[in-house]
Amino acid sequence: MTLTRQEGVLCHCCDCAVAAAVPVSAPRGRKLAALQLRRRLRQQLLLALVALFLFGFNTVTAEGEDEDGPYRGKYLGKLNSYHHQVSGDVYAVNEYTFLLVGFNYDGNGADTFFWSGASNRPGPQGFIVPDEYGKTNILDRYHNKDFTLTLPDRKKMTEIKWLAVYDLNNQNNFGDVYIPEEFEPPRTQIGGTFSKRNHNVSSSSIEILDSKTIRIKDFTYDGRGKRTFFWTGVGAQPSSRGSKIPDERGYLDPIRAYNKETIMLELPGDKTIFDIDWISIYDVADNENYGHVLIPDGLNVPPSLVKITPYEFSLPNCRQLHKDLQVSWEVFGPQITFQLSGQVAKTDYMSFGISGSDVSSQMIGADVVVAYIDDIRGYTVDYNITSLAPCVQVLGQNKGVCRDDVVGGLDSFQLNTYARKDGINTISFRRTLKSSDDGDKEIFLDRSNYVVWAFGQLDSNNEPAFHTYYPKSDIIIDFNTTEPVNDCFSFTKRAETPVQIWERARITDASVRTFNAYLGPSGGLRGYQGITGHVSSGLAWYINGYMIPELYLKRGLTYTFKVRGGNNPHSPEHYHPLVITDDPQGGYDRLSDAKQSEIRVLAGVEFTRRGRPKPTAAGPLCLSRYPDHYDRRLDDNFPTFKKFNRSLINICSDEPPALLEITPNITWPDTVYYNSFTHGNMGWKIHIVDSYTKLRNAGHSLATTWLTTLTALLMPLAL
């Protein structure tokens, strides 16, 4: 039967069209209806998926778990706000610590504290959680502040049910967040061990302490690779497409040999454990993996609380020299502009320059800039290095680490800008590629340049003291690249822990009248610098086997110093007559006439008819030195001076020592200092006393009487 076509009526109910008297067959109509139904279902499903996506996105954003943001730990939730504008996000850093982000409180509560407990809801049964400073004071006003709270008495997050802002006087809860049941707070995770492939690489299980820090126990590597680094990246296996991890001291040089040592590695810049798949001992020269460990996914570890400061540079090229030092540059015509950026102390200098050798990175003969900022302005000073010693006069000529203008040269660096921000010094300057000063090294564009760098403390004269950080391997830079090069990353800084200095030695035995004085290394931050608080020149006086002991001498008694500090005035490093003055710094010969006139010389110096000082106690050289191929940057690895001293080798002349005889009298100050005539910061205190009785009663001596006496008797035989 055939239907005739008539007017159709369109119905919008349920988005379907109902045709009236449409001239089509019944089966075709059913197919069309089914097709329209499928389209409607697809549209509804699509809308549902979009809604779910938007809901999920908003939920993630609300919970602060946006993957693009920094990892802060395990999210607990937003503070439920009841009164006094309490708000903020709360994270679990570890099982003892909360992180509050964007915390607000108007400060108008009468007796308000951070409050926690194990009851079902906040109430009077609980305990005070100390504030971000560890205090239990009444809370003040907070505005959008980020900080951590640590539960007291080693209480754990799993032992409580809530954290609140609570008023004890009114027993009123201003805001709270609840700890979910069976909550697992972030904690240190145990990983695998380094696979044993080559060069004796091995370890115990690694410990992932937080999102940036890995502890490797019993780590071993024989140090015989060509250019081997701690290396990290992504993928199933280590490959050349990775990047360096600074070693345990922040260096980016090829790593040294290790023998079952425990070391801590910090991932560089803003990189976290969630950004990597493996850590390898990798030789980039041969593209060979000597051993690696895989990093598991989904680690529930504490967030790293290190401070991350993005690097800022305006020049196109940048090279990371150390975790805390960067150099950037740009060549324009016959000039090159540099920028040094360093995470250094206010009194520190940064140094960078062209090596003294064309085939290696060598300090001797190097042409460097020393850049620093004082309370007023920035400085870039041109230095020439002729020996590894402070600048001293040797037979009328200045030798050592000397400014160019002191040795007859020119200061070739022109300061551009300087700034100190967030603990980072940034200094830019320029010089010509080929200087008119014969003492300056040329910067080549047609080949690579060997460079040197260092940073450390300035002495009291704003001269560079012995550098704290410096490389031990060759550093090569091509300043004329066709494409910009940049391997720099953000600066990181964690809370500093005080350095445990070595024991302070005191010699108080009244029977000891002879002191054997010779030279030895100053021993890093635990040694001379830690004991005295002064910068070091690299060497220190050793007295009767101790590094810079404090001596207690009685007025009216005569004492003899047997001096073996070097008697060759041609040597800028090893010419150290002993002097005793009232100046704690020493280096009397380096001082100006005006400065010398302010110092009282008590022994070791006589004056010529023209008033020039002349040392009287310059003896042959006796030196406790490092073994061959030792890295003195490892001095602080020794827990005690005794163990450090045992690692040294004594090299002493057969010549008899110079004798310095003194008899302190009533005119001597209560405290004087033994030091070097030529170099500053090598000695320490002599206490002038009227009686030893009080000293014995107070128990000042660290060594027993028999040991001190025995050392004094045996030292001349050993030397």
Side-chain angles (χ1 to χ4, degrees):
M1 177 173 118
T2 303
L3 297 178
T4 59
R5 187 178 185 88
Q6 297 182 5
E7 292 274 345
V9 179
L10 185 63
C11 175
H12 291 279
C13 179
C14 299
D15 294 325
C16 65
V18 179
V22 178
V24 293
S25 64
R28 185 179 177 187
R30 286 194 295 271
K31 289 181 180 179
L32 179 61
L35 178 62
Q36 290 171 335
L37 178 62
R38 286 197 296 271
R39 286 176 178 172
R40 288 201 310 274
L41 290 174
R42 282 199 299 268
Q43 289 173 349
Q44 291 171 356
L45 179 61
L46 180 61
L47 289 172
L49 290 173
V50 170
L52 181 61
F53 171 78
L54 292 175
F55 175 77
F57 176 80
N58 290 332
T59 302
V60 170
T61 303
E63 291 185 354
E65 292 288 274
D66 187 351
E67 292 183 357
D68 292 335
Y71 174 68
R72 295 187 172 106
K74 203 163 186 177
Y75 189 64
L76 289 171
K78 285 186 174 296
L79 281 164
N80 302 306
S81 182
Y82 308 125
H83 302 287
H84 293 288
Q85 301 176 25
V86 169
S87 65
D89 292 289
V90 184
Y91 297 80
V93 172
N94 54 40
E95 53 189 336
Y96 308 104
T97 309
F98 295 97
L99 171 64
L100 275 64
V101 176
F103 176 68
N104 294 285
Y105 163 58
D106 65 12
N108 293 327
D111 193 29
T112 308
F113 301 90
F114 293 114
W115 187 250
S116 186
S119 56
N120 289 330
R121 57 186 299 177
Q125 300 299 319
F127 56 88
I128 293 176
V129 178
D131 63 17
E132 67 269 32
Y133 305 108
K135 307 292 185 182
T136 54
N137 300 332
I138 294 174
L139 296 184
D140 206 344
R141 180 175 178 269
Y142 289 82
H143 176 66
N144 199 32
K145 192 170 181 182
D146 302 347
F147 56 92
T148 58
L149 300 177
T150 301
L151 294 171
D153 304 322
R154 300 296 288 175
K155 288 184 171 65
K156 296 183 179 180
M157 223 169 277
T158 52
E159 300 170 358
I160 62 174
K161 292 188 176 180
W162 42 263
L163 174 70
V165 180
Y166 194 83
D167 192 301
L168 292 179
N169 186 41
N170 300 320
Q171 296 187 12
N172 197 354
N173 179 18
F174 297 159
D176 58 31
V177 66
Y178 286 84
I179 313 297
E181 291 186 10
E182 300 182 0
F183 178 71
E184 293 186 8
R187 54 172 55 93
T188 296
Q189 301 292 320
I190 305 300
T193 63
F194 271 85
S195 59
K196 301 177 181 180
R197 288 174 173 263
N198 208 340
H199 288 283
N200 295 335
V201 169
S202 65
S203 75
S204 297
S205 297
I206 68 168
E207 297 175 345
I208 303 170
L209 303 183
D210 59 43
S211 60
K212 288 183 68 65
T213 312
I214 301 99
R215 179 161 56 204
I216 308 174
K217 291 185 175 181
D218 299 321
F219 177 62
T220 297
Y221 161 62
D222 65 12
R224 295 179 180 177
K226 294 178 181 178
R227 289 188 58 79
T228 308
F229 302 93
F230 294 112
W231 195 254
T232 188
V234 296
Q237 294 290 328
S239 70
S240 59
R241 300 184 65 179
S243 59
K244 297 177 188 176
I245 302 176
D247 70 14
E248 72 276 15
R249 293 166 295 148
Y251 287 96
L252 294 159
D253 303 342
I255 60 175
R256 61 181 176 88
Y258 296 83
N259 183 20
K260 290 190 174 298
E261 297 184 38
T262 296
I263 59 173
M264 305 268 282
L265 300 182
E266 180 187 288
L267 295 176
D270 51 9
K271 193 183 295 293
T272 71
I273 203 73
F274 308 110
D275 301 321
I276 66 174
D277 292 326
W278 43 261
I279 296 174
S280 168
I281 309 305
Y282 198 86
D283 192 323
V284 299
D286 292 334
N287 285 335
E288 185 176 355
N289 170 30
Y290 295 156
H292 72 278
V293 60
L294 296 177
I295 305 299
D297 292 330
L299 290 171
N300 184 21
V301 294
S304 173
L305 299 181
V306 302
K307 178 184 177 183
I308 300 176
T309 306
Y311 68 93
E312 299 177 359
F313 67 97
S314 56
L315 305 178
N317 304 283
C318 188
R319 176 77 176 269
Q320 194 84 29
L321 302 172
H322 180 274
K323 182 179 81 74
D324 294 327
L325 184 66
Q326 302 168 349
V327 61
S328 52
W329 70 90
E330 181 179 32
V331 177
F332 185 77
Q335 292 191 327
I336 184 168
T337 299
F338 289 104
Q339 177 177 292
L340 286 177
S341 300
Q343 188 166 247
V344 296
K346 286 184 177 180
T347 56
D348 281 1
Y349 68 89
M350 303 177 291
S351 180
F352 176 81
I354 303 300
S355 167
S357 168
D358 292 333
V359 296
S360 65
S361 293
Q362 175 182 294
M363 287 287 186
I364 300 295
D367 173 30
V368 302
V369 63
V370 172
Y372 63 95
I373 300 174
D374 63 13
D375 293 332
I376 302 173
R377 52 160 293 186
Y379 299 85
T380 52
V381 186
D382 201 347
Y383 273 77
N384 189 273
I385 303 175
T386 55
S387 73
L388 301 180
C391 190
V392 295
Q393 279 209 345
V394 177
L395 300 179
Q397 291 186 329
N398 288 285
K399 300 289 185 181
V401 181
C402 299
R403 299 195 313 269
D404 274 23
D405 56 8
V406 171
V407 295
L410 301 173
D411 194 330
S412 303
F413 294 103
Q414 182 178 348
L415 177 68
N416 288 348
T417 62
Y418 58 90
R420 180 170 178 83
K421 179 182 177 183
D422 296 326
I424 296 170
N425 282 0
T426 302
I427 303 175
S428 67
F429 52 94
R430 66 176 179 265
R431 60 156 281 187
T432 57
L433 297 169
K434 184 174 176 60
S435 171
S436 58
D437 184 355
D438 292 337
D440 286 345
K441 294 283 187 178
E442 181 178 356
I443 299 175
F444 295 98
L445 298 183
D446 58 348
R447 60 181 173 86
S448 298
N449 297 260
Y450 285 92
V451 300
V452 294
W453 62 264
F455 60 97
Q457 283 189 289
L458 294 165
D459 66 14
S460 56
N461 298 316
N462 282 339
E463 297 280 351
F466 187 82
H467 31 258
T468 309
Y469 296 94
Y470 59 98
K472 290 287 286 185
S473 63
D474 292 335
I475 311 296
I476 304 172
I477 295 182
D478 185 353
F479 292 110
N480 189 30
T481 56
T482 54
E483 295 291 334
V485 295
N486 182 1
D487 66 2
C488 290
F489 47 77
S490 299
F491 292 103
T492 60
K493 189 174 184 64
R494 61 178 64 244
E496 294 183 357
T497 55
V499 175
Q500 298 297 316
I501 65 173
W502 291 332
E503 60 275 16
R504 300 175 186 269
R506 296 178 174 87
I507 299 179
T508 62
D509 192 339
S511 64
V512 176
R513 306 289 178 84
T514 301
F515 301 102
N516 290 284
Y518 59 102
L519 303 179
S522 55
L525 298 178
R526 290 176 178 254
Y528 180 92
Q529 190 168 327
I531 293 170
T532 66
H534 298 163
V535 299
S536 168
S537 66
L539 290 174
W541 283 109
Y542 284 45
I543 308 290
N544 287 7
Y546 298 104
M547 179 193 294
I548 57 163
E550 296 184 32
L551 309 181
Y552 288 78
L553 310 184
K554 184 180 177 182
R555 289 183 173 90
L557 297 181
T558 299
Y559 301 87
T560 300
F561 287 83
K562 295 183 176 180
V563 183
R564 296 176 172 89
N567 55 8
N568 180 9
H570 297 270
S571 172
E573 298 103 327
H574 299 138
Y575 177 59
H576 298 285
L578 185 71
V579 296
I580 298 175
T581 69
D582 64 354
D583 172 35
Q585 304 292 336
Y588 185 80
D589 192 45
R590 298 181 64 201
L591 304 178
S592 65
D593 292 344
K595 287 285 187 181
Q596 288 182 354
S597 66
E598 299 173 0
I599 295 172
R600 182 181 176 188
V601 178
L602 298 162
V605 177
E606 62 183 17
F607 293 87
T608 65
R609 292 181 179 180
R610 296 183 179 180
R612 301 304 304 164
K614 179 182 177 182
T616 62
L621 179 63
C622 181
L623 177 66
S624 281
R625 66 169 181 83
Y626 296 108
D628 293 337
H629 309 298
Y630 174 79
D631 186 352
R632 70 173 298 162
R633 300 176 302 178
L634 303 178
D635 286 356
D636 290 332
N637 287 358
F638 289 94
T640 65
F641 169 72
K642 183 181 292 185
K643 291 186 177 181
F644 172 72
N645 197 30
R646 286 174 180 169
S647 72
L648 304 177
I649 301 171
N650 287 331
I651 305 295
C652 300
S653 169
D654 293 333
E655 299 177 52
L659 302 180
L660 180 63
E661 194 172 89
I662 63 171
T663 305
N665 57 42
I666 197 172
T667 68
W668 281 42
D670 290 341
T671 303
V672 297
Y673 301 86
Y674 60 92
N675 255 307
S676 167
F677 177 73
T678 54
H679 291 185
N681 301 322
M682 288 181 56
W684 197 219
K685 297 178 181 179
I686 301 177
H687 300 275
I688 308 301
V689 300
D690 295 318
S691 171
Y692 280 108
T693 305
K694 294 181 180 179
L695 294 176
R696 283 194 293 269
N697 292 338
H700 279 291
S701 179
L702 293 180
T704 60
T705 299
W706 68 267
L707 181 59
T708 306
T709 305
L710 183 63
T711 303
L713 293 174
L714 294 180
M715 277 301 299
L717 299 177
L719 300 177

